[in-house]
């Protein structure tokens, strides 16, 4: 059996894609290894979202090539978004033998077979239908408690800064019956939590099943199975989705609702297709139905022509919403996107970083304030395993997505326990076991 080693970069969908790739390769006589030095095939499943993501992968490609000296016949492959974006440019470096885009994974065994005869191979065909719906992913996360399920692929939104529509192709939704079957498989394998993945889950539709219906179908698989999802799009998240979340106790009250900017001129230029006022209206609706709902976000600072005053609108929307957590980024121009073609990347790098630091500092305070509001409360958490810092502590998340840590030698991964919040940092709730 040939041994395959894969490193995964980028979003959760890429993690799940790697699981699909392992499943496809396993049925063609390949075996997974976590030891790079014994691998016959070394691959990276890559991300193109920002320039620094790609730079990091170039560094890994050089590193992978150092193994050629000690292993003749070694195959180096690039999968995922960077494969799709750069295509032959990757083969031209002569450091890469196989290039396979996100919709080409069924062809990977054939590509690997052909390359072993000495010819570099590439398949970057995008598909309108491929969802890998029939493939049972080989789970690579170690805790055995939570699993990712991709419910759709691609994206039709064409936000002006974003490379995803080019690297992942057109949006398509997966047959809900295959999704429910995968959730059942997860339960049978002992998993306690599934996260439904899509770039914009709110635009999921397969025949008469929309995302609200799908959520209910997955939640009804087992009351012991927690259901999460990501990512919601502010322009599309419907009242039906919010009400379905409230109607099933096992759907976690957590919404990742990327705002990107708090300024209407910038939102328009980003082609997000909502306004600050619309966004705040959605947040108000979520909170009126689920006052305990965790809300997190993504934001970009220093987008083309963003002024200091416009950046202040992002600070103020963060303050107004009071996010529980956020991912924040400097704008990174991506070749071929609408923004790269039409607007100069004119906010200086130092200025972007200054704005980013200010936003991060604000979010640290907001996260701390949000956590402080939970001190004294009792939550049901799903144990993920021992905490990273201390072997005699366990960790797990609240329904709203906050990480809890508490001393515990009785329970183990996969148990549901009640914990009381005693103290907190901006990142963690420090808890004790509460009586059931
Ligand atoms: N589909 C999701 C986002 C996927 S990309 C959505 O629509 O919200 C994850 C995050 O990366 C985005 O929310 C955005 O904040 C950030 N991002 C995307 N393109 C970027 C770019 N060119 N520069 C900086 N950050 C970017
Ligand atoms: Fe990119 Fe916008 Fe699609 Fe999200 S919704 S993946 S930001 S184009
Ligand atoms: Fe990156 Fe592709 Fe995901 S660009 S964020 S790996 S969809």
């Amino acid at each position: 059996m040939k041994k395959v080693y894969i490193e995964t970069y980028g979003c959760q969908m890429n993690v799940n894609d790697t699981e699909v790739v392992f499943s496809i390769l396993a049925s063609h006589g390949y075996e997974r290894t976590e030891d790079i030095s014994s691998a016959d095939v070394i691959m990276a499943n890559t991300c193109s979202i920002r320039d620094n993501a790609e730079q990091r992968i170039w560094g890994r490609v050089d590193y992978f090539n150092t193994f050629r000296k000690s292993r003749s016949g070694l195959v180096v492959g690039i999968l995922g978004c960077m494969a799709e974006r750069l295509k032959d440019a990757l083969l031209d470096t002569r450091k890469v033998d196989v290039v396979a885009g996100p919709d080409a994974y069924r062809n990977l065994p054939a590509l690997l077979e052909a390359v072993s005869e000495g010819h570099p191979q590439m398949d970057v065909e995008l598909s309108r239908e491929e969802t890998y719906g029939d493939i049972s992913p080989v789970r690579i996360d170690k805790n055995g408690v939570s699993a990712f399920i991709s419910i759709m692929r691609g994206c039709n939104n064409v936000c002006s800064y974003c490379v995803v529509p080019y690297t992942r192709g057109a949006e398509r939704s997966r047959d809900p019956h295959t999704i429910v079957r995968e959730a059942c498989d997860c339960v049978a394998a002992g998993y306690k939590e599934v996260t439904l993945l899509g770039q914009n889950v709110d635009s999921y539709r397969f025949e008469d099943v929309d995302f609200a219906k799908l959520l209910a179908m997955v939640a009804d698989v087992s009351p012991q199975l927690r259901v999460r999802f990501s990512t919601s799009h502010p322009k599309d998240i419907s009242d039906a989705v919010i009400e379905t979340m409230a109607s099933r106790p096992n759907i976690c009250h957590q919404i990742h609702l990327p705002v990107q900017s708090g300024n209407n001129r910038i939102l328009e230029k980003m082609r997000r297709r909502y306004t600050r006022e619309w966004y705040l209206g959605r947040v108000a609706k979520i909170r009126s139905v689920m006052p305990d709902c965790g809300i997190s976000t993504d934001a970009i600072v220093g987008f083309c022509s963003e002024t200091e005053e416009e950046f202040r609108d992002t600070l103020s929307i963060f303050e107004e919403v009071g996010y529980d957590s956020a991912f924040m980024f400097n704008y990174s121009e991506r070749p071929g996107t609408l923004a790269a073609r039409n607007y100069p990347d004119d906010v200086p790098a130092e200025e972007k970083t200054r704005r980013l630091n200010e936003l991060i500092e604000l979010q640290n305070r907001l996260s701390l304030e949000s956590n402080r509001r939970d001190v004294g409360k009792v939550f049901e958490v799903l144990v993920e395993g021992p905490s990273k810092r201390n072997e005699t502590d366990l960790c797990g998340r609240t329904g709203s997505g906050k990480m809890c840590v508490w001393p515990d030698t009785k329970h183990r991964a996969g148990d549901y326990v009640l914990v009381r919040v005693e103290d907190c940092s901006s990142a963690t709730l420090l808890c004790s076991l509460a009586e059931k």
Side-chain angles (χ1 to χ4, degrees):
M1 282 239 255
K2 288 204 165 173
K3 290 188 178 147
V4 185
Y5 169 92
I6 306 181
E7 284 182 8
T8 307
Y9 297 88
C11 59
Q12 296 169 330
M13 298 203 75
N14 246 19
V15 174
N16 193 226
D17 279 5
T18 295
E19 298 178 329
V20 165
V21 167
F22 275 125
S23 173
I24 292 168
L25 291 179
S27 57
H28 286 79
Y30 291 86
E31 174 182 50
R32 178 183 173 209
T33 178
E34 291 181 73
D35 171 24
I36 190 168
S37 61
S38 70
D40 303 289
V41 179
I42 301 178
M43 298 197 283
N45 190 2
T46 61
C47 175
S48 286
I49 200 80
R50 284 167 291 274
D51 185 57
N52 56 13
E54 289 197 354
Q55 293 311 323
R56 191 157 158 225
I57 290 155
W58 282 119
R60 295 309 287 169
V61 168
D62 287 336
Y63 174 65
F64 295 167
N65 273 272
T66 62
F67 291 93
R68 287 203 201 271
K69 292 188 200 88
S70 53
R71 281 192 95 90
S72 67
L74 175 73
V75 174
V76 173
I78 295 292
L79 311 176
C81 291
M82 211 170 145
E84 194 61 47
R85 196 178 85 73
L86 295 174
K87 305 186 171 66
D88 340 35
L90 285 161
L91 294 183
D92 292 345
T93 63
R94 315 190 71 129
K95 295 174 180 173
V96 175
D97 310 300
V98 175
V99 173
D103 289 342
Y105 299 147
R106 286 184 203 266
N107 197 20
L108 202 48
L111 298 174
L112 291 173
E113 189 66 30
V115 84
S116 62
E117 284 145 30
H119 310 290
Q121 297 291 317
M122 176 168 82
D123 184 348
V124 289
E125 204 66 42
L126 287 172
S127 157
R128 295 199 159 266
E129 290 90 35
E130 182 62 89
T131 61
Y132 302 112
D134 57 318
I135 291 175
S136 302
V138 173
R139 306 288 169 195
I140 57 175
D141 69 298
K142 295 195 190 71
N143 70 13
V145 173
S146 74
F148 294 131
I149 302 183
S150 294
I151 63 166
M152 58 210 293
R153 300 182 70 81
C155 182
N156 282 353
N157 282 306
V158 205
C159 301
S160 65
Y161 51 82
C162 184
V163 76
V164 172
Y166 306 94
T167 62
R168 295 256 165 187
E171 180 186 288
R172 63 224 99 120
S173 296
R174 177 177 170 190
D175 184 331
H177 299 103
T178 69
I179 297 170
V180 168
R181 199 190 55 219
E182 191 173 332
C184 292
D185 291 347
C186 287
V187 171
Y191 285 88
K192 295 293 175 63
E193 180 173 84
V194 293
T195 303
L196 308 180
L197 300 177
Q199 293 299 349
N200 175 1
V201 292
D202 304 291
S203 63
Y204 176 90
R205 177 166 281 278
F206 192 98
E207 290 163 2
D208 62 342
V209 181
D210 63 6
F211 184 59
K213 265 197 191 162
L214 179 72
L215 252 187
M217 285 164 75
V218 175
D220 291 344
V221 162
S222 161
Q224 284 294 304
L225 184 70
R226 275 184 166 188
V227 182
R228 297 185 192 274
F229 56 87
S230 189
T231 302
S232 302
H233 198 301
K235 77 175 161 66
D236 294 320
I237 185 168
S238 66
D239 290 355
V241 166
I242 297 168
E243 278 145 21
T244 304
M245 289 175 76
S247 75
R248 302 285 195 293
N250 58 330
I251 304 180
C252 291
H253 290 185
Q254 177 187 22
I255 299 183
H256 186 60
L257 197 66
V259 68
Q260 312 302 1
S261 165
N263 176 270
N264 284 338
R265 190 185 74 89
I266 295 295
L267 285 171
E268 161 94 49
K269 215 167 167 165
M270 288 176 160
R271 286 182 111 245
R272 287 293 285 177
R273 306 205 204 127
Y274 53 82
T275 60
R276 178 187 177 103
E277 295 70 30
W278 170 270
Y279 185 95
L280 289 170
R282 292 286 78 197
V283 170
K285 173 72 192 188
I286 293 164
R287 295 230 163 106
S288 73
V289 178
M290 296 175 288
D292 63 342
C293 191
I295 302 182
S296 56
T297 202
D298 295 344
I300 298 174
V301 305
F303 185 62
C304 312
S305 80
E306 183 190 65
T307 64
E308 175 66 20
E309 209 182 350
E310 288 166 335
F311 164 64
R312 303 252 136 224
D313 289 338
T314 300
L315 292 172
S316 75
I317 203 168
F318 268 56
E319 192 92 55
E320 217 168 315
V321 176
Y323 292 112
D324 298 294
S325 62
F327 297 106
M328 296 152 282
F329 311 101
N330 279 345
Y331 171 59
S332 167
E333 185 177 86
R334 308 313 292 131
T337 56
L338 287 175
R341 282 183 275 150
N342 296 316
Y343 315 125
D345 178 13
D346 53 3
V347 177
E350 320 76 72
E351 179 56 22
K352 285 180 186 166
T353 300
R354 191 198 57 75
R355 290 179 193 178
L356 182 63
N357 288 337
E358 190 171 344
L359 188 60
I360 291 172
E361 204 172 303
L362 168 62
Q363 183 52 47
N364 285 342
R365 170 164 71 72
L366 296 174
S367 299
L368 185 61
E369 283 171 13
S370 158
N371 284 350
R372 283 208 181 120
R373 287 192 291 274
D374 285 338
V375 172
K377 292 185 189 161
V378 171
F379 293 102
E380 184 177 55
V381 299
L382 172 60
V383 180
E384 287 178 14
S387 93
K388 283 196 196 97
R389 294 231 180 106
N390 193 335
E391 276 291 305
T392 58
D393 286 355
L394 292 179
C395 69
R397 284 176 199 279
T398 64
S400 68
K402 288 183 181 178
M403 182 53 85
C404 299
V405 173
W406 67 97
D408 188 340
T409 48
K410 285 195 297 199
H411 297 98
R412 54 195 186 94
D415 290 346
Y416 285 103
V417 303
L418 290 179
V419 297
R420 175 174 288 101
V421 184
E422 307 288 352
D423 197 1
C424 67
S425 67
S426 64
T428 316
L429 300 179
L430 307 168
C431 305
S432 62
L433 268 180
E435 292 306 312
K436 274 243 175 183

Coordinates of all heavy atoms in Angstrom, one line a residue, residues 122-186:
M122 N -2.4 17.2 -14.2 CA -3.2 18.3 -13.6 C -4.7 18.1 -14.0 O -5.0 17.7 -15.2 CB -2.8 19.6 -14.2 CG -3.6 20.8 -13.8 SD -2.8 22.4 -14.2 CE -3.3 22.5 -15.9
D123 N -5.6 18.3 -13.1 CA -7.0 18.4 -13.4 C -7.6 19.5 -12.5 O -7.7 19.4 -11.3 CB -7.7 17.0 -13.0 CG -9.2 17.0 -13.5 OD1 -9.7 18.1 -13.8 OD2 -9.8 16.0 -13.4
V124 N -8.0 20.6 -13.2 CA -8.6 21.7 -12.5 C -10.0 22.1 -13.0 O -10.4 23.2 -12.9 CB -7.6 23.0 -12.5 CG1 -6.4 22.7 -11.7 CG2 -7.2 23.3 -14.0
E125 N -10.6 21.0 -13.6 CA -11.9 21.2 -14.1 C -12.9 21.5 -13.0 O -12.9 20.8 -12.0 CB -12.3 19.9 -14.8 CG -13.4 20.0 -15.9 CD -13.0 20.7 -17.1 OE1 -11.8 20.6 -17.5 OE2 -13.8 21.5 -17.6
L126 N -13.7 22.6 -13.1 CA -14.7 22.8 -12.1 C -16.0 22.2 -12.6 O -16.2 22.1 -13.8 CB -14.9 24.3 -11.9 CG -13.8 25.0 -11.0 CD1 -13.9 26.5 -11.0 CD2 -13.7 24.4 -9.6
S127 N -16.9 21.8 -11.7 CA -18.1 21.1 -12.0 C -19.3 21.9 -11.6 O -19.3 22.7 -10.6 CB -18.1 19.7 -11.4 OG -19.4 19.2 -11.2
R128 N -20.5 21.7 -12.2 CA -21.7 22.3 -11.8 C -22.5 21.3 -10.9 O -23.4 21.7 -10.2 CB -22.6 22.7 -12.9 CG -22.0 23.8 -13.8 CD -23.0 24.5 -14.6 NE -22.4 25.8 -15.0 CZ -22.6 26.9 -14.3 NH1 -23.4 26.9 -13.3 NH2 -22.1 28.1 -14.7
E129 N -22.1 20.0 -10.9 CA -22.8 19.0 -10.1 C -22.1 18.4 -8.9 O -22.7 18.0 -8.0 CB -23.2 17.9 -11.0 CG -24.3 18.2 -12.1 CD -23.6 18.7 -13.4 OE1 -22.5 18.2 -13.7 OE2 -24.2 19.6 -14.0
E130 N -20.8 18.4 -9.0 CA -20.0 17.6 -8.0 C -20.3 18.0 -6.6 O -20.2 19.2 -6.3 CB -18.5 17.7 -8.3 CG -17.7 16.8 -7.3 CD -18.0 15.4 -7.4 OE1 -17.3 14.7 -8.2 OE2 -18.8 14.9 -6.7
T131 N -20.8 17.1 -5.7 CA -20.9 17.5 -4.3 C -20.3 16.4 -3.4 O -20.3 16.5 -2.2 CB -22.4 17.6 -3.9 OG1 -23.0 16.3 -4.1 CG2 -23.1 18.7 -4.6
Y132 N -19.7 15.3 -4.0 CA -19.2 14.2 -3.3 C -20.2 13.6 -2.3 O -19.8 13.1 -1.3 CB -17.9 14.6 -2.5 CG -16.8 15.2 -3.4 CD1 -16.4 16.5 -3.4 CD2 -16.1 14.4 -4.4 CE1 -15.4 17.1 -4.2 CE2 -15.1 14.9 -5.2 CZ -14.8 16.2 -5.1 OH -13.8 16.7 -6.0
G133 N -21.5 13.8 -2.7 CA -22.6 13.4 -1.8 C -22.6 11.9 -1.4 O -23.0 11.6 -0.3
D134 N -22.0 11.1 -2.2 CA -22.1 9.6 -1.9 C -20.8 9.1 -1.2 O -20.7 8.0 -0.9 CB -22.1 8.9 -3.3 CG -21.0 9.2 -4.2 OD1 -20.6 10.4 -4.3 OD2 -20.4 8.3 -4.8
I135 N -19.9 10.0 -0.9 CA -18.6 9.6 -0.3 C -18.6 9.8 1.2 O -19.0 10.8 1.7 CB -17.4 10.4 -1.0 CG1 -17.3 9.9 -2.4 CG2 -16.1 10.2 -0.2 CD1 -16.3 10.7 -3.2
S136 N -18.2 8.7 1.9 CA -18.2 8.8 3.4 C -16.8 9.3 3.8 O -15.8 8.6 3.6 CB -18.4 7.5 4.0 OG -19.6 7.0 3.6
P137 N -16.7 10.5 4.3 CA -15.3 11.1 4.6 C -14.6 10.2 5.7 O -15.3 9.7 6.6 CB -15.6 12.5 5.1 CG -17.0 12.8 4.7 CD -17.7 11.5 4.6
V138 N -13.3 10.1 5.5 CA -12.5 9.5 6.6 C -12.1 10.6 7.6 O -11.3 11.5 7.2 CB -11.2 8.9 6.0 CG1 -10.3 8.3 7.1 CG2 -11.6 7.7 5.0
R139 N -12.7 10.6 8.8 CA -12.5 11.7 9.7 C -11.1 11.8 10.1 O -10.5 10.9 10.6 CB -13.4 11.5 10.9 CG -14.9 11.3 10.6 CD -15.5 12.6 10.1 NE -16.9 12.3 9.5 CZ -17.5 13.2 8.8 NH1 -17.0 14.3 8.5 NH2 -18.7 12.9 8.3
I140 N -10.5 13.1 10.0 CA -9.1 13.2 10.4 C -9.0 13.9 11.8 O -7.9 14.0 12.3 CB -8.3 14.0 9.3 CG1 -8.9 15.4 9.0 CG2 -8.2 13.2 8.1 CD1 -8.1 16.2 8.1
D141 N -10.1 14.5 12.3 CA -10.0 15.1 13.6 C -9.9 14.0 14.6 O -10.4 13.0 14.4 CB -11.1 16.1 13.9 CG -12.4 15.3 14.1 OD1 -12.8 14.6 13.2 OD2 -12.9 15.3 15.2
K142 N -9.2 14.3 15.7 CA -8.9 13.2 16.6 C -9.8 13.0 17.7 O -9.9 12.0 18.3 CB -7.4 13.4 17.2 CG -6.4 13.3 16.1 CD -5.0 13.1 16.6 CE -4.0 13.2 15.5 NZ -3.9 14.6 15.1
N143 N -10.7 14.0 18.1 CA -11.4 13.9 19.3 C -12.6 12.9 19.2 O -13.1 12.4 20.2 CB -11.9 15.3 19.9 CG -12.9 16.0 19.0 OD1 -13.5 15.4 18.1 ND2 -13.1 17.2 19.3
G144 N -13.0 12.6 17.9 CA -14.1 11.7 17.7 C -15.5 12.2 18.2 O -16.4 11.4 18.4
V145 N -15.6 13.5 18.5 CA -16.8 14.1 19.1 C -17.5 14.9 18.1 O -18.7 14.8 18.0 CB -16.4 14.9 20.3 CG1 -17.7 15.7 20.8 CG2 -15.8 14.1 21.4
S146 N -16.8 15.7 17.3 CA -17.5 16.6 16.4 C -17.0 16.4 14.9 O -15.8 16.2 14.7 CB -17.4 18.0 16.8 OG -16.2 18.5 16.6
A147 N -17.9 16.4 14.0 CA -17.6 16.2 12.6 C -18.1 17.3 11.7 O -19.1 17.9 12.0 CB -18.2 14.8 12.2
F148 N -17.4 17.5 10.6 CA -17.9 18.4 9.6 C -18.7 17.7 8.5 O -18.3 16.6 8.1 CB -16.7 19.1 8.9 CG -15.9 20.0 9.8 CD1 -14.5 19.9 9.8 CD2 -16.5 20.9 10.6 CE1 -13.8 20.7 10.6 CE2 -15.8 21.8 11.4 CZ -14.4 21.6 11.4
I149 N -19.8 18.3 8.1 CA -20.6 17.8 6.9 C -20.8 18.9 5.9 O -21.4 19.9 6.2 CB -22.0 17.2 7.4 CG1 -21.8 16.1 8.4 CG2 -22.7 16.7 6.1 CD1 -23.1 15.5 8.8
S150 N -20.2 18.8 4.7 CA -20.4 19.8 3.7 C -21.8 19.6 3.1 O -22.1 18.5 2.7 CB -19.3 19.7 2.6 OG -18.1 20.0 3.2
I151 N -22.5 20.7 3.0 CA -23.9 20.6 2.5 C -24.0 21.3 1.1 O -25.0 21.1 0.4 CB -24.9 21.2 3.5 CG1 -24.7 22.8 3.6 CG2 -24.9 20.5 4.8 CD1 -25.9 23.5 4.3
M152 N -23.0 22.0 0.8 CA -23.0 22.6 -0.6 C -21.5 22.9 -0.9 O -20.7 22.9 -0.1 CB -23.8 23.9 -0.5 CG -23.4 24.9 0.5 SD -24.7 25.9 1.1 CE -25.2 26.8 -0.4
R153 N -21.3 23.3 -2.2 CA -20.0 23.7 -2.6 C -20.1 24.9 -3.5 O -21.2 25.2 -4.0 CB -19.3 22.5 -3.4 CG -19.2 21.3 -2.7 CD -18.5 20.2 -3.5 NE -17.1 20.5 -3.7 CZ -16.1 20.2 -2.8 NH1 -16.4 19.7 -1.6 NH2 -14.9 20.5 -3.1
G154 N -19.0 25.6 -3.6 CA -18.9 26.8 -4.5 C -19.6 28.0 -3.9 O -20.1 28.0 -2.7
C155 N -19.7 29.1 -4.7 CA -20.3 30.3 -4.2 C -20.7 31.1 -5.4 O -20.0 31.3 -6.3 CB -19.4 31.1 -3.3 SG -20.2 32.6 -2.6
N156 N -21.9 31.7 -5.3 CA -22.4 32.5 -6.4 C -22.4 34.0 -6.1 O -23.1 34.8 -6.8 CB -23.9 32.1 -6.8 CG -23.9 30.9 -7.6 OD1 -22.9 30.4 -8.1 ND2 -25.1 30.4 -7.9
N157 N -21.8 34.4 -5.0 CA -22.0 35.8 -4.6 C -21.1 36.8 -5.2 O -21.4 38.0 -5.3 CB -21.9 35.9 -3.0 CG -23.2 35.4 -2.5 OD1 -24.3 35.9 -2.8 ND2 -23.1 34.4 -1.6
V158 N -19.9 36.4 -5.5 CA -18.9 37.4 -6.1 C -18.8 38.7 -5.4 O -18.9 39.8 -5.9 CB -19.3 37.7 -7.6 CG1 -18.0 38.1 -8.4 CG2 -19.9 36.5 -8.3
C159 N -18.5 38.5 -4.1 CA -18.1 39.7 -3.3 C -16.8 40.2 -4.0 O -16.0 39.4 -4.4 CB -17.8 39.3 -1.8 SG -19.3 38.6 -1.0
S160 N -16.6 41.5 -4.1 CA -15.6 42.0 -5.0 C -14.1 41.7 -4.6 O -13.2 41.6 -5.4 CB -15.7 43.5 -5.2 OG -15.5 44.2 -4.0
Y161 N -13.9 41.4 -3.3 CA -12.6 41.1 -2.8 C -12.2 39.6 -2.9 O -11.1 39.3 -2.6 CB -12.4 41.6 -1.3 CG -13.5 41.1 -0.5 CD1 -13.5 39.8 0.1 CD2 -14.7 41.8 -0.2 CE1 -14.5 39.3 0.8 CE2 -15.7 41.3 0.5 CZ -15.6 40.0 1.0 OH -16.7 39.5 1.8
C162 N -13.2 38.8 -3.2 CA -13.1 37.4 -2.8 C -12.7 36.4 -3.9 O -13.3 36.5 -5.0 CB -14.3 36.9 -2.1 SG -14.3 35.2 -1.5
V163 N -11.8 35.5 -3.7 CA -11.3 34.6 -4.7 C -12.1 33.3 -4.8 O -12.0 32.6 -5.7 CB -9.8 34.3 -4.4 CG1 -9.6 33.3 -3.2 CG2 -9.1 33.8 -5.6
V164 N -12.9 33.1 -3.7 CA -13.6 31.8 -3.6 C -14.5 31.4 -4.8 O -14.4 30.3 -5.3 CB -14.4 31.7 -2.3 CG1 -15.3 30.4 -2.2 CG2 -13.5 31.7 -1.1
P165 N -15.3 32.3 -5.4 CA -16.1 31.9 -6.5 C -15.2 31.4 -7.7 O -15.7 30.6 -8.5 CB -16.8 33.2 -6.9 CG -16.8 34.0 -5.6 CD -15.5 33.7 -4.9
Y166 N -14.0 31.9 -7.8 CA -13.1 31.5 -8.9 C -12.4 30.2 -8.6 O -12.1 29.4 -9.5 CB -12.0 32.6 -9.1 CG -12.6 33.9 -9.4 CD1 -12.8 34.8 -8.3 CD2 -13.1 34.3 -10.6 CE1 -13.4 36.1 -8.5 CE2 -13.7 35.5 -10.9 CZ -13.8 36.4 -9.8 OH -14.4 37.6 -10.0
T167 N -12.1 29.9 -7.3 CA -11.4 28.7 -6.9 C -12.4 27.5 -6.7 O -12.0 26.4 -6.8 CB -10.5 28.9 -5.7 OG1 -11.4 29.2 -4.6 CG2 -9.5 30.0 -5.9
R168 N -13.6 27.8 -6.3 CA -14.6 26.8 -6.0 C -15.7 26.6 -7.0 O -16.5 25.7 -6.8 CB -15.1 27.1 -4.6 CG -14.1 27.0 -3.5 CD -14.3 25.7 -2.8 NE -13.1 25.4 -2.0 CZ -13.0 24.3 -1.3 NH1 -13.9 23.4 -1.4 NH2 -11.9 24.0 -0.6
G169 N -15.8 27.6 -7.9 CA -16.8 27.5 -8.9 C -18.2 27.8 -8.4 O -18.4 28.4 -7.3
A170 N -19.2 27.5 -9.2 CA -20.6 27.8 -9.0 C -21.2 27.1 -7.8 O -20.8 26.0 -7.5 CB -21.4 27.6 -10.2
E171 N -22.1 27.7 -7.1 CA -22.8 27.1 -6.0 C -23.7 25.9 -6.4 O -24.4 26.0 -7.4 CB -23.6 28.2 -5.3 CG -24.4 27.7 -4.1 CD -25.3 28.8 -3.6 OE1 -24.8 29.8 -3.0 OE2 -26.5 28.6 -3.8
R172 N -23.6 24.9 -5.6 CA -24.5 23.7 -5.8 C -24.8 23.1 -4.4 O -23.9 23.1 -3.6 CB -24.0 22.7 -6.8 CG -22.7 22.0 -6.4 CD -21.7 22.0 -7.5 NE -20.7 23.0 -7.5 CZ -19.4 22.8 -7.5 NH1 -18.9 21.6 -7.4 NH2 -18.6 23.9 -7.4
S173 N -26.0 22.6 -4.3 CA -26.4 22.1 -3.0 C -26.4 20.6 -3.1 O -26.8 20.0 -4.1 CB -27.8 22.6 -2.6 OG -27.8 24.0 -2.4
R174 N -26.1 19.9 -2.0 CA -26.0 18.5 -1.9 C -27.4 17.9 -1.6 O -28.1 18.5 -0.8 CB -25.0 18.1 -0.9 CG -24.8 16.7 -0.6 CD -23.7 16.5 0.4 NE -23.6 15.1 0.9 CZ -22.9 14.7 1.9 NH1 -22.1 15.6 2.5 NH2 -22.9 13.4 2.3
D175 N -27.7 16.7 -2.1 CA -29.0 16.0 -1.9 C -29.1 15.9 -0.3 O -28.3 15.3 0.3 CB -28.9 14.7 -2.6 CG -30.2 13.9 -2.4 OD1 -30.9 14.1 -1.4 OD2 -30.5 13.1 -3.3
P176 N -30.3 16.4 0.2 CA -30.4 16.3 1.7 C -30.4 14.9 2.2 O -30.0 14.7 3.4 CB -31.8 17.0 1.9 CG -32.5 17.0 0.6 CD -31.4 17.0 -0.5
H177 N -30.9 13.9 1.4 CA -30.9 12.6 2.0 C -29.5 12.0 2.2 O -29.3 11.3 3.2 CB -31.7 11.6 1.0 CG -33.1 12.1 0.9 ND1 -33.5 12.8 -0.2 CD2 -34.1 12.1 1.8 CE1 -34.8 13.2 -0.1 NE2 -35.2 12.8 1.2
T178 N -28.5 12.5 1.4 CA -27.1 12.0 1.6 C -26.6 12.8 2.9 O -25.7 12.2 3.6 CB -26.2 12.3 0.4 OG1 -26.0 13.7 0.2 CG2 -26.8 11.7 -0.9
I179 N -27.1 14.0 3.1 CA -26.6 14.7 4.3 C -27.1 14.1 5.6 O -26.4 13.8 6.5 CB -27.1 16.2 4.2 CG1 -26.4 16.9 3.0 CG2 -26.8 16.9 5.5 CD1 -27.0 18.3 2.7
V180 N -28.4 13.7 5.5 CA -29.0 13.1 6.7 C -28.4 11.7 7.0 O -28.1 11.3 8.1 CB -30.6 12.9 6.5 CG1 -31.2 12.0 7.6 CG2 -31.2 14.3 6.6
R181 N -28.1 11.0 5.8 CA -27.5 9.7 6.0 C -26.1 9.9 6.6 O -25.7 9.1 7.5 CB -27.3 9.0 4.6 CG -27.1 7.5 4.8 CD -26.8 6.8 3.5 NE -25.6 7.5 2.9 CZ -25.5 7.8 1.6 NH1 -26.4 7.4 0.7 NH2 -24.4 8.4 1.1
E182 N -25.3 10.9 6.2 CA -24.0 11.1 6.8 C -24.1 11.5 8.3 O -23.3 11.0 9.1 CB -23.3 12.2 6.0 CG -21.8 12.3 6.4 CD -21.0 13.2 5.6 OE1 -21.3 13.4 4.4 OE2 -20.0 13.8 6.1
A183 N -25.2 12.3 8.6 CA -25.4 12.6 10.1 C -25.7 11.3 10.9 O -25.1 11.1 12.0 CB -26.5 13.6 10.2
C184 N -26.5 10.4 10.3 CA -26.8 9.1 11.0 C -25.5 8.3 11.1 O -25.3 7.7 12.2 CB -27.8 8.3 10.2 SG -29.4 9.0 10.1
D185 N -24.6 8.3 10.1 CA -23.4 7.6 10.2 C -22.5 8.1 11.3 O -21.8 7.4 12.0 CB -22.6 7.7 8.9 CG -23.2 6.9 7.7 OD1 -24.1 6.1 8.0 OD2 -22.8 7.2 6.6
C186 N -22.5 9.5 11.5 CA -21.8 10.1 12.5 C -22.3 9.7 13.9 O -21.5 9.3 14.8 CB -21.9 11.6 12.4 SG -20.9 12.3 11.1

